[in-house]
Structures are given as structure tokens and as C-alpha cells.
Amino acid sequence: MSVSTVRGAHAADPTPGLEAHDLSRAFGDVRALDHVDLVVPRGGVTALVGPNGCGKTSLMLVLASLLSPDTGHVRVLGVDPAKDPRGVRRLLGWMPDGFGTFEALTVREVLRTMAGAHGLGAGAARPRVEELLHTLRLDPLADRPARVLSRGQKQRLGLAQAMVHSPQVLVLDEPASGLDPRSRLELRDTVRALAAGGVTVLVSSHILDELEEMCDRAVVMDAGRVVASHDLTAAPALLRWRVGSLDVEALRAVLAARGIEATDVPSPDGDWGRRGALDVDVADEADAHALLRLLVDHDVPVFTFGPATTGGRLEAMYLSATREERS
Ligand SMILES: Nc1ncnc2c1ncn2[C@@H]1O[C@H](COP(=O)(O)OP(=O)(O)OP(=O)(O)O)[C@@H](O)[C@H]1O
Ligand SMILES: [Mg+2]
């Protein structure tokens, strides 16, 4: 089947790649998932981001039917794992953040064993395993025992394991952790190529600039809940701009007179006197230019003016969604 046929097929079929409805899961007092609703469109790459302990791994485990929720349900390409667990296992590939493998087996044997566990006969498993060894640059390691692999090499083997049965949905928990720069670029290219072929990918990471290059959408979690969801291919959302002034109260007054909301930036240690900085949301660079003109026209002594984060849109969205939740 060609890539365009697959694309045509999923374009016509509105069934999402992954769905979660009203998922909750507690561990004792900890609400790891708190009424989570999530729809991951088919044939794209969705980032799952959020602070440590916010519930990303728990959500992915439930989606991979490895953890049962207290309430709610999931669907994988429309299939209910409670009714058809084998069907879901066929459709979904899972890469955990901590990697466990058959340590005594060689890399090639690990992949052949996994292929067998997914029901691939030897005739289909052998070429598939060789293909994956090549794609993930594991061929020089193919005959080494899995236990001797470095952390990054184990990550690549983990991805190969998740992909061995050519699943239509991939759930990857921090796949880039431990990877060297070249392997990260290759991971990005592998994931983009899979999505171009119609595979649905949900990927978690803390490395936001890399995710931004890899993903079409981003879902932000905080404290067990989904707090934001954005289409990264759409027009840019608001940009956060940082304005430093020798007289922060004069700056605040001009912004307030125009009804422009501003957030205080904590001053570094030391005596800052009247100096200070405020963050302001602008629509785009032209809006930022208009703001600068306004401040200069009102004789506000501006000494710094520019984007508040050095990172990209995903980082800005993450900071704004998680900050709002805490305040
Ligand atoms: N098996 C478990 N037993 C007890 N508590 C758990 C268990 N698994 C997760 N938790 C708790 O549930 C919450 C969510 O954990 P989870 O691993 O889903 O977070 P995460 O977003 O993946 O974090 P990280 O970014 O650090 O990987 C945490 O408070 C964690 O301590
Ligand atoms: Mg995790």
C-alpha cells in the first residue's frame, strides 16, 4: 500500500487514533489521572508534556492497556481494549521510559522474540527485524547481548521493539532520553516518516524544542489533568514578550492605561531600585513593534525588549499552561 493510499484512507475515516474519556486513576492518595479527556487524531504526531509526576506515564500505560483506570475508558482506533485486548495489542506499539528486555538474548534475538510474540511467523519476522536493525542503526550491535548496550542503544532497541509488528498507533514514553544528537535527529525523522505513512504517534518528552519539530499537536498535563491542547501547525498563538524598564512603575502605568495585562518578572538578587521587568502577551512581531512605539511615545525608559523565552511556541505554551494552573 502506498503512503498516499494510507493517507487517503485515514483522511476519509474520522475515527481518532487514540481516545480517552473521563479517565481517573489513583495510587493511594495520589490522583495520577483526574478526569482526563483526550483525542489524538489519526496519522499525526501529538506531544504529551507536563511537569514530573503530572500523570503522563500513567495516561500512556492506560492507553496501552497496561494499567486499568478506576473510571473512564479508552479506544485505540475505535477498538475497546476491554472487549478486544488482542486487537488493541496488534494495533498499538508501546515504548516504556524505563527499558526492560531479555538481557541474555542478543539484540537480533530480542527483536525476533518480540516479533514472534506478536504472531509474526519466521518468514515475516526475519526481514522485518533486519529492516528495523538497519533503520535504527542497530545492525553493528545485532549479535551483542542486550544487557551490554548503552542507555541510548537500549532506547533505540526499545523503539525497534515497539515498532516490530508495524503498529498503526505508537505510544512512546520519553524516547529521546539518553540519545546522542544524531540519534535524536534520526528519531525525529523516523517518527515523521511513520506519521506521513498514516501512523498515529503519541510521544512524551521534557525536551520541548525537539518535540516542537516532531509534533503537529501538543497536549499539556498538570496534576493529573489535561490543561491545554494546541495545534502546532496553526497560526502562532500569543507570544510572550519581556519588557525591562529603568522605571517599572511608569511602564506598569502606561500598560494599565491601555488595559494591557502584564505579569511581574521576579528581579534577580540585589538592589534593583526602580528598575524591573514585566511580561506581556503580543499577537505577533507587528504587535510587539506597536507596543514598543507606545512605550517610547510615553517616555517609558525601556532597556530590554524581546521574547520572554528563548525556546519556541511549545515552550511558551507549556510555561503559560502550567503557570496558570499553579497560580
Ligand atoms: N505504581 C505507582 N504507585 C504509586 N504511585 C504511583 C505509581 N505510578 C505513578 N504514581 C504516582 O502518580 C503520579 C503520576 O506519575 P507518572 O509516572 O504518571 O508521572 P509522569 O508525568 O510520567 O512524570 P515524569 O515526567 O517524571 O515521567 C506521581 O505522583 C507518581 O508518584
Ligand atoms: Mg513518566
Side-chain angles (χ1 to χ4, degrees), residues 27 30 32 50-58 97 174 206:
F27 295 102
V30 178
N52 291 130
C54 72
K56 301 178 299 294
T57 297
S58 304
D97 60 345
E174 302 197 31
H206 294 291

Side-chain angles (χ1 to χ4, degrees), residues 36-314:
V36 168
D37 283 299
L38 175 79
V39 176
V40 177
R42 201 165 175 175
V45 187
T46 300
L48 183 62
V49 299
N52 291 130
C54 72
K56 301 178 299 294
T57 297
S58 304
L59 174 59
M60 289 181 143
L61 284 169
V62 174
L63 291 168
S65 31
L66 295 166
L67 176 69
S68 44
D70 297 330
T71 66
H73 64 265
V74 304
R75 296 280 184 275
V76 177
L77 284 169
V79 179
D80 180 352
K83 292 190 182 137
D84 186 3
R86 288 171 133 239
V88 164
R89 242 167 271 144
R90 214 173 20 245
L91 289 172
L92 186 137
W94 157 248
M95 178 181 172
D97 60 345
F99 184 71
T101 188
F102 312 96
E103 300 256 298
L105 300 185
T106 67
V107 168
R108 183 178 274 113
E109 286 166 347
V110 167
L111 292 177
R112 286 191 182 164
T113 304
M114 291 304 293
H118 280 293
L120 270 75
R126 281 170 190 269
R128 176 64 181 151
V129 166
E130 295 312 307
E131 183 189 1
L132 282 173
L133 288 172
H134 180 69
T135 309
L136 294 169
R137 282 198 303 121
L138 287 164
D139 17 18
L141 307 168
D143 297 316
R144 292 212 207 149
R147 69 169 182 280
V148 308
L149 298 189
S150 73
R151 185 172 140 83
Q153 291 165 343
K154 280 187 179 164
Q155 286 291 97
R156 299 212 303 271
L157 177 55
L159 183 59
Q161 276 190 214
M163 291 167 59
V164 78
H165 56 306
S166 309
Q168 292 177 51
V169 178
L170 268 175
V171 177
L172 311 175
D173 197 2
E174 302 197 31
S177 80
L179 293 188
D180 61 43
R182 179 185 297 279
S183 303
R184 287 184 177 188
L185 290 173
E186 287 170 356
L187 170 72
R188 182 192 69 193
D189 293 346
T190 304
V191 166
R192 288 290 355 153
L194 287 164
V199 174
T200 304
V201 186
L202 179 66
V203 54
S204 76
S205 177
H206 294 291
I207 310 161
L208 299 182
D209 49 353
E210 259 166 33
L211 275 182
E212 184 161 355
E213 288 179 24
M214 200 194 285
C215 299
D216 311 301
R217 293 178 67 254
V219 172
V220 187
M221 289 185 73
D222 203 3
R225 289 184 290 134
V226 170
V227 293
S229 177
H230 283 267
D231 183 350
L232 296 172
T233 61
L238 291 176
L239 304 172
R240 187 148 281 231
W241 226 252
R242 182 154 299 173
V243 188
S245 172
L246 296 173
D247 183 348
V248 72
E249 292 314 320
L251 169 63
R252 197 189 307 280
V254 170
L255 294 174
R258 289 292 176 115
I260 299 171
E261 281 187 31
T263 313
D264 277 274
V265 178
S267 310
D269 289 343
D271 181 13
W272 266 57
R274 293 154 67 92
R275 282 185 296 163
L278 300 177
D279 279 352
V280 178
D281 286 336
V282 296
D284 49 28
E285 283 83 0
D287 197 20
H289 171 68
L291 175 64
L292 183 58
R293 183 182 294 261
L294 171 79
L295 297 175
V296 171
D297 284 351
H298 285 78
D299 285 331
V300 177
V302 172
F303 68 87
T304 56
F305 191 83
T309 57
T310 50
R313 287 162 55 199
L314 182 52

